[in-house]
Amino acid sequence: MIQKNTFDAQPAEHRISSQREWLVAADDVLPLAAHVVSSRTGYTHHGIYVGDGKVVHYAGLSRGWRHGPVEEVSLTEFSRGRPVRVRPHLKSPFDCSDVVARARSRLGEDRYRILSNNCEHFCEWCVCGESRSAQFELWRTRFALLAALRFLGRFARQHTPPLLRRV
């Protein structure tokens, strides 16, 4: 039986939740083409489960400061001893075999860019056809908000009448 997408492959209790990630237990069988996520210090690392205990991921900075290409590794190597979660995609235009083929089509690619072509961009492209990174978009939004608040604070200090300023 061919599964149409990673959403169909999830246990029923996970299908009910909207877009929440679910933690993989040691005895869980991962659905083919699952978008898997593992937390690192300061970021999350992403990959595509391709079956037989293997994950295709953009090695990027997953091993420290030396970046690496798209590669196929064991789930154990991907997780590096950390918990693994599955990120559901409710509306993927691709079936599982297409997602796996898309992931494997980029094996060996070595054009990692932390802001525009990272492991999350890779997985979103494999599953949804669009290269994007929610964690980078969140970081960019927070950075822009912080910059705006700093600007407004300086502007307010410069334009507050002297009698209203704190001493």
Side-chain angles (χ1 to χ4, degrees):
M1 181 174 102
I2 296 177
Q3 297 165 334
K4 280 296 175 195
N5 62 41
T6 57
F7 177 67
D8 294 336
Q10 295 176 23
E13 63 273 17
H14 299 303
R15 286 186 222 151
I16 295 167
S17 68
S18 58
Q19 280 280 95
R20 278 201 239 143
E21 293 178 354
W22 50 277
L23 189 62
V24 175
D27 60 344
D28 280 351
V29 176
L30 282 170
L32 187 64
H35 178 165
V36 291
V37 180
S38 182
S39 294
R40 301 291 198 267
T41 304
Y43 72 100
T44 55
H45 187 53
H46 300 253
I48 300 294
Y49 182 73
V50 296
D52 296 324
K54 301 286 186 174
V55 174
V56 174
H57 72 131
Y58 222 128
L61 301 176
S62 68
R63 294 186 189 98
W65 288 109
R66 68 167 211 249
H67 70 83
V70 175
E71 61 184 5
E72 188 169 319
V73 298
S74 70
L75 182 60
T76 303
E77 187 177 343
F78 169 80
S79 69
R80 306 191 91 197
R82 295 171 175 94
V84 174
R85 300 179 310 280
V86 171
R87 176 174 290 177
H89 289 273
L90 302 179
K91 295 181 181 178
S92 174
F94 308 108
D95 66 26
C96 292
S97 60
D98 289 337
V99 172
V100 170
R102 289 171 67 81
R104 285 185 167 145
S105 75
R106 291 178 58 182
L107 285 171
E109 176 184 299
D110 196 6
R111 294 191 305 260
Y112 182 87
R113 300 290 176 267
I114 195 166
L115 303 179
S116 60
N117 195 34
N118 65 37
C119 58
E120 188 176 14
H121 287 99
F122 168 74
C123 290
E124 290 289 331
W125 176 85
C126 291
V127 176
C128 299
E130 181 182 351
S131 180
R132 61 184 299 262
S133 171
Q135 67 183 321
F136 173 69
E137 290 167 8
L138 179 62
W139 176 84
R140 184 178 58 197
T141 300
R142 287 179 177 169
F143 181 77
L145 181 60
L146 181 60
L149 289 173
R150 285 183 178 162
F151 171 79
L152 290 173
R154 284 189 212 120
F155 181 83
R157 282 191 297 278
Q158 292 172 354
H159 293 88
T160 303
L163 293 175
L164 296 177
R165 289 187 194 147
R166 287 185 181 177
V167 179

